[in-house]
Structures are given as structure tokens and as C-alpha cells.
Amino acid sequence: MPDYMIELRNVTKRYGPIVANDHINLSIRRGELMTLLGPSGCGKTTALRCITGHNIPDEGEVWIDGKDVTNVPTHKRELGMVFQNFALFPHMTVFENVEFPLMIRGLNKAERRERVMEALRLIRMEGYEKHYPRQISGGQQQRVGLARALVYRPKVLLLDEPLSNLDAKLREEMRFEIRDLIDRLGITAVYVTHDQAEALALSDRVAVMNAGRIEQVGTPDEIYDSPKSRFVADFIGLSDFVEGTVAAVHSDQERAVIRVGGLDISICARPDISSPGEKVLLFIRPNNVELLPASHEGGQNIFSGVVHKMTYLGDRADYRIIVEDELQLRVQTDGKIRFHEGENVKVHLPIEHCRVIVE
Ligand code: ATP
């Protein structure tokens, strides 16, 4: 059995002068939930349509389950699809909606009944067979949309912004339902979204896209903690960026010192920074910076600062701190100890959270 269920090999897709997918390489493992994440227009849907067969790439190949399907029509690719506008047929009951793909495929009545009931059990909607879409909630409609995509037991499930028509609370609930469903089925899934929280919560791995290209592929942790570019760091979560130059690289290559104005900040080195003098972008998440009382003494990467602004956000406090008159950092703490505007503080930049981006 091939290791990868889906492979995009050097896929390029143009619309006139627009390069919607620019030499994309992506390998999706069997049973994995891969999310394509990026801002509007970055090419997520185009890539998904290359997998479904609605787009034929101008260059490159699409492989599914070890076969080159680049020129295989959609209906022969054995895919289940759920789109943003999941549009159930309003004049059909829940049962009939889920049964529909099986009718098209010519399964007999007994088989259809068995499969529909199995799919409804899977999404915990048994008992709703006779309801019409208008008689069930938005979340339930979306679950029926999922059942309809899964009823013919596809090899792969493709979801394009499937939750964007739901309100915020329901979206959050549905995220967990979808993840749970995919785990129970062990199916390979590709999920498209521009919502980073959704991507981090749902995915085994995330492919972050920008202007037709894939910038980084990694687990949610890797993408969040070790972004490889400013774009990825900026797109996912909050970031503080500080420009500096490499002052020293330790011989173990695991630590380096970055000079920012008059400050020396120790960081976890990336293997590709080696030469002192090199310009780099230092990056740290605001929730990884620690604020300490001004009386705190000693320690690595601890600097003096002044609270410029403080906003209380309920579960967090959001600060703008001027550090050693050199730079301004955004800091978020759990809000238990509150510092006030104008107060002197110490700012700790934990070395394990200080990273560099070489551009
Ligand atoms: P969104 O999140 O807004 O759906 P996306 O990341 O899915 O965006 P795509 O829909 O793949 O982006 O579009 C990528 C680029 O290709 C955009 O510049 C878009 O305008 C262009 N594009 C997409 N489909 C077509 C088309 N059928 N004809 C011409 N240009 C298109």
C-alpha cells in the first residue's frame, strides 16, 4: 500500500495571467487530516479542485491511492465532498438526501437503507429520517451534509470551508464533531479554511499557503511554535517581530545571540544561521513573554521595561511594554498579576520561545 493517499506533484494551475497554484508539492498520508490554510485568494480551493478533478493542472500530476489520476474524471476518483454551501435538497427528507448519492450509483433498496442508516448513526442523527432540512438546525443540516458525503464510503473526504455558514459557537462544536468523525472512520481528509483557530484545532498537519505557493507544512505545534517565514508567523496567532543582527553563534549551534539596538538577546539557533552580522527577524509570541516585578534580579534574557499600555481582556491582560527604551513588545499574561500603565517591570524572553526567521 502506498504511504500517501494523496499527492500533488509540482502542480501548477493558471487562470489567464493569474498563477493560482504555483508548483505545489504536497503529500497527504493515509488517515491524515490535512488542512490547507491561507488568506482569501491564496489558491486553497484551486488546489482542492485539482484533487477533486474539477481542475486539470496545467503542469504536474495528482496521485490518489498510488495512481496517477491527473486526467481521471471526478466521479471516478471515489471522493466525498462537503462544501461551504452544503445545500441539502429542501423537498427531500433527511433520509432521501443521504440516500441520493446511492440512488445515482444504482444500489438496491435494501442496501441503500442499510447504508443510509449506518451514515445517520455515524453522525448521531438516527430518528431524524423523516425530517425535512427546514425542520432541523444549521448544525444538524451540516451533519447531514457530511453523512451524504460519507454514505458511499469514499477513499477521501474533502471539506471546503464547511463551517463558514454557521455561527461562532456552533462552528466550535462542529470542529470537534468533524475531528471525532474522521478519527472514528480513519478516513483521509483535506480541509480548506482561512480560519487559523479552526486549522490548529482540527488538523494532523497544516499546509500554510500564500500567493499560490505552500509556505510551510507541519503539525499545528510546528506551525505555531516554529514558523519558517514571517508570513506564517504573522498569519497564525499573535507575534512580536524585532529586527536584529546575529552577534554570536555558540559552538553547539543550539544557541545564538541576537543584537537588537543595545540589547543582546539569546535565542534557540536555527541550523541555517551561522554567520555573525547576518540580519534576522527575531520572533516571540506575546503569550510566551513573562512579566516580572521590577525588583526581580538576574537571569538570562531579562530586561527592564515600562508598561506603556494595559488592556484587561477578562481571561488575559494585554500589554505594550517599552523594553530598555529600545523596542516595544506586545505581551499577554493570564491576568492574575496586573501591572499598571507607567509601572516599571522586568521582561523575561524565555530562550526556548525566542526564534529567528531568516528571510
Ligand atoms: P477563498 O478563501 O477566497 O476561497 P482561495 O484561497 O480558495 O480563496 P482560490 O479560489 O483558489 O483561492 O483562488 C486563487 C486565485 O485564482 C485568486 O486570485 C482567484 O481570483 C483566481 N481564480 C480562482 N478561480 C478562478 C476562475 N475560475 N477564473 C479566474 N480566476 C480564478
mmCIF file of all heavy atoms in Angstrom, residues 240-259:
data_model
loop_
_atom_site.group_PDB
_atom_site.id
_atom_site.type_symbol
_atom_site.label_atom_id
_atom_site.label_comp_id
_atom_site.label_asym_id
_atom_site.label_seq_id
_atom_site.Cartn_x
_atom_site.Cartn_y
_atom_site.Cartn_z
ATOM 1 N N ASP A 240 5.351 38.993 18.079
ATOM 2 C CA ASP A 240 6.215 40.166 18.164
ATOM 3 C C ASP A 240 7.381 39.904 17.228
ATOM 4 O O ASP A 240 7.983 38.823 17.268
ATOM 5 C CB ASP A 240 6.786 40.311 19.592
ATOM 6 C CG ASP A 240 5.767 40.904 20.556
ATOM 7 O OD1 ASP A 240 5.139 41.915 20.190
ATOM 8 O OD2 ASP A 240 5.618 40.363 21.662
ATOM 9 N N PHE A 241 7.671 40.868 16.371
ATOM 10 C CA PHE A 241 8.833 40.754 15.489
ATOM 11 C C PHE A 241 9.811 41.870 15.826
ATOM 12 O O PHE A 241 9.399 43.014 16.011
ATOM 13 C CB PHE A 241 8.442 40.928 14.018
ATOM 14 C CG PHE A 241 7.549 39.843 13.498
ATOM 15 C CD1 PHE A 241 6.216 40.096 13.235
ATOM 16 C CD2 PHE A 241 8.044 38.575 13.265
ATOM 17 C CE1 PHE A 241 5.392 39.103 12.749
ATOM 18 C CE2 PHE A 241 7.221 37.576 12.773
ATOM 19 C CZ PHE A 241 5.896 37.842 12.517
ATOM 20 N N VAL A 242 11.098 41.525 15.894
ATOM 21 C CA VAL A 242 12.109 42.529 16.172
ATOM 22 C C VAL A 242 13.273 42.292 15.219
ATOM 23 O O VAL A 242 13.765 41.163 15.101
ATOM 24 C CB VAL A 242 12.625 42.382 17.630
ATOM 25 C CG1 VAL A 242 13.648 43.452 17.927
ATOM 26 C CG2 VAL A 242 11.481 42.435 18.625
ATOM 27 N N GLU A 243 13.705 43.348 14.546
ATOM 28 C CA GLU A 243 14.839 43.171 13.631
ATOM 29 C C GLU A 243 16.141 43.234 14.407
ATOM 30 O O GLU A 243 16.296 44.048 15.316
ATOM 31 C CB GLU A 243 14.829 44.272 12.572
ATOM 32 C CG GLU A 243 13.752 44.023 11.540
ATOM 33 C CD GLU A 243 13.616 45.147 10.543
ATOM 34 O OE1 GLU A 243 14.492 46.014 10.511
ATOM 35 O OE2 GLU A 243 12.607 45.133 9.825
ATOM 36 N N GLY A 244 17.063 42.349 14.067
ATOM 37 C CA GLY A 244 18.357 42.344 14.749
ATOM 38 C C GLY A 244 19.428 41.744 13.876
ATOM 39 O O GLY A 244 19.167 41.374 12.725
ATOM 40 N N THR A 245 20.630 41.666 14.435
ATOM 41 C CA THR A 245 21.726 41.013 13.702
ATOM 42 C C THR A 245 22.333 39.925 14.595
ATOM 43 O O THR A 245 22.337 40.044 15.824
ATOM 44 C CB THR A 245 22.847 42.007 13.323
ATOM 45 O OG1 THR A 245 23.153 42.766 14.481
ATOM 46 C CG2 THR A 245 22.434 42.941 12.207
ATOM 47 N N VAL A 246 22.863 38.902 13.953
ATOM 48 C CA VAL A 246 23.492 37.808 14.700
ATOM 49 C C VAL A 246 24.793 38.336 15.309
ATOM 50 O O VAL A 246 25.659 38.836 14.586
ATOM 51 C CB VAL A 246 23.787 36.609 13.771
ATOM 52 C CG1 VAL A 246 24.473 35.489 14.548
ATOM 53 C CG2 VAL A 246 22.501 36.102 13.117
ATOM 54 N N ALA A 247 24.894 38.254 16.663
ATOM 55 C CA ALA A 247 26.120 38.719 17.326
ATOM 56 C C ALA A 247 27.062 37.546 17.568
ATOM 57 O O ALA A 247 28.282 37.692 17.498
ATOM 58 C CB ALA A 247 25.778 39.389 18.649
ATOM 59 N N ALA A 248 26.511 36.373 17.859
ATOM 60 C CA ALA A 248 27.357 35.195 18.119
ATOM 61 C C ALA A 248 26.530 33.932 17.940
ATOM 62 O O ALA A 248 25.317 33.942 18.178
ATOM 63 C CB ALA A 248 27.895 35.251 19.551
ATOM 64 N N VAL A 249 27.216 32.858 17.520
ATOM 65 C CA VAL A 249 26.554 31.556 17.459
ATOM 66 C C VAL A 249 27.386 30.610 18.304
ATOM 67 O O VAL A 249 28.595 30.512 18.109
ATOM 68 C CB VAL A 249 26.460 31.018 16.010
ATOM 69 C CG1 VAL A 249 25.730 29.675 15.985
ATOM 70 C CG2 VAL A 249 25.760 32.020 15.102
ATOM 71 N N HIS A 250 26.755 29.952 19.277
ATOM 72 C CA HIS A 250 27.502 29.041 20.152
ATOM 73 C C HIS A 250 27.991 27.844 19.362
ATOM 74 O O HIS A 250 27.357 27.446 18.373
ATOM 75 C CB HIS A 250 26.617 28.580 21.312
ATOM 76 C CG HIS A 250 26.416 29.658 22.319
ATOM 77 N ND1 HIS A 250 26.988 29.654 23.558
ATOM 78 C CD2 HIS A 250 25.708 30.814 22.245
ATOM 79 C CE1 HIS A 250 26.637 30.753 24.218
ATOM 80 N NE2 HIS A 250 25.856 31.460 23.430
ATOM 81 N N SER A 251 29.077 27.264 19.839
ATOM 82 C CA SER A 251 29.694 26.180 19.066
ATOM 83 C C SER A 251 28.762 24.967 18.955
ATOM 84 O O SER A 251 28.831 24.216 17.997
ATOM 85 C CB SER A 251 31.032 25.770 19.680
ATOM 86 O OG SER A 251 30.818 25.514 21.048
ATOM 87 N N ASP A 252 27.846 24.779 19.934
ATOM 88 C CA ASP A 252 26.916 23.644 19.815
ATOM 89 C C ASP A 252 25.815 23.914 18.782
ATOM 90 O O ASP A 252 24.979 23.051 18.524
ATOM 91 C CB ASP A 252 26.287 23.306 21.181
ATOM 92 C CG ASP A 252 25.509 24.493 21.769
ATOM 93 O OD1 ASP A 252 25.314 25.494 21.044
ATOM 94 O OD2 ASP A 252 25.102 24.401 22.939
ATOM 95 N N GLN A 253 25.805 25.109 18.201
ATOM 96 C CA GLN A 253 24.836 25.509 17.168
ATOM 97 C C GLN A 253 23.401 25.545 17.684
ATOM 98 O O GLN A 253 22.472 25.700 16.919
ATOM 99 C CB GLN A 253 24.889 24.548 15.954
ATOM 100 C CG GLN A 253 26.160 24.613 15.154
ATOM 101 C CD GLN A 253 26.188 25.816 14.217
ATOM 102 O OE1 GLN A 253 25.222 26.107 13.555
ATOM 103 N NE2 GLN A 253 27.302 26.526 14.201
ATOM 104 N N GLU A 254 23.244 25.374 18.996
ATOM 105 C CA GLU A 254 21.871 25.352 19.508
ATOM 106 C C GLU A 254 21.433 26.689 20.059
ATOM 107 O O GLU A 254 20.246 26.917 20.262
ATOM 108 C CB GLU A 254 21.732 24.263 20.581
ATOM 109 C CG GLU A 254 21.673 22.906 19.921
ATOM 110 C CD GLU A 254 21.493 21.771 20.881
ATOM 111 O OE1 GLU A 254 21.364 22.024 22.092
ATOM 112 O OE2 GLU A 254 21.501 20.635 20.398
ATOM 113 N N ARG A 255 22.419 27.531 20.348
ATOM 114 C CA ARG A 255 22.066 28.850 20.834
ATOM 115 C C ARG A 255 22.832 29.918 20.070
ATOM 116 O O ARG A 255 23.924 29.684 19.569
ATOM 117 C CB ARG A 255 22.366 28.967 22.330
ATOM 118 C CG ARG A 255 21.278 28.297 23.159
ATOM 119 C CD ARG A 255 21.470 28.499 24.633
ATOM 120 N NE ARG A 255 22.814 28.166 25.050
ATOM 121 C CZ ARG A 255 23.519 28.886 25.936
ATOM 122 N NH1 ARG A 255 23.014 29.963 26.471
ATOM 123 N NH2 ARG A 255 24.722 28.520 26.273
ATOM 124 N N ALA A 256 22.221 31.079 20.000
ATOM 125 C CA ALA A 256 22.891 32.206 19.344
ATOM 126 C C ALA A 256 22.492 33.465 20.088
ATOM 127 O O ALA A 256 21.567 33.443 20.908
ATOM 128 C CB ALA A 256 22.472 32.291 17.891
ATOM 129 N N VAL A 257 23.215 34.536 19.832
ATOM 130 C CA VAL A 257 22.878 35.816 20.455
ATOM 131 C C VAL A 257 22.536 36.801 19.334
ATOM 132 O O VAL A 257 23.269 36.915 18.350
ATOM 133 C CB VAL A 257 24.056 36.349 21.303
ATOM 134 C CG1 VAL A 257 23.720 37.723 21.890
ATOM 135 C CG2 VAL A 257 24.393 35.359 22.420
ATOM 136 N N ILE A 258 21.421 37.464 19.503
ATOM 137 C CA ILE A 258 20.980 38.448 18.510
ATOM 138 C C ILE A 258 21.068 39.831 19.139
ATOM 139 O O ILE A 258 20.602 40.034 20.273
ATOM 140 C CB ILE A 258 19.504 38.183 18.089
ATOM 141 C CG1 ILE A 258 19.322 36.740 17.600
ATOM 142 C CG2 ILE A 258 19.046 39.186 17.026
ATOM 143 C CD1 ILE A 258 20.136 36.357 16.415
ATOM 144 N N ARG A 259 21.697 40.748 18.425
ATOM 145 C CA ARG A 259 21.791 42.118 18.949
ATOM 146 C C ARG A 259 20.660 42.957 18.374
ATOM 147 O O ARG A 259 20.467 43.010 17.153
ATOM 148 C CB ARG A 259 23.149 42.716 18.583
ATOM 149 C CG ARG A 259 23.321 44.118 19.151
ATOM 150 C CD ARG A 259 24.755 44.444 19.455
ATOM 151 N NE ARG A 259 25.346 43.476 20.375
ATOM 152 C CZ ARG A 259 26.646 43.199 20.423
ATOM 153 N NH1 ARG A 259 27.484 43.795 19.603
ATOM 154 N NH2 ARG A 259 27.111 42.309 21.277
#
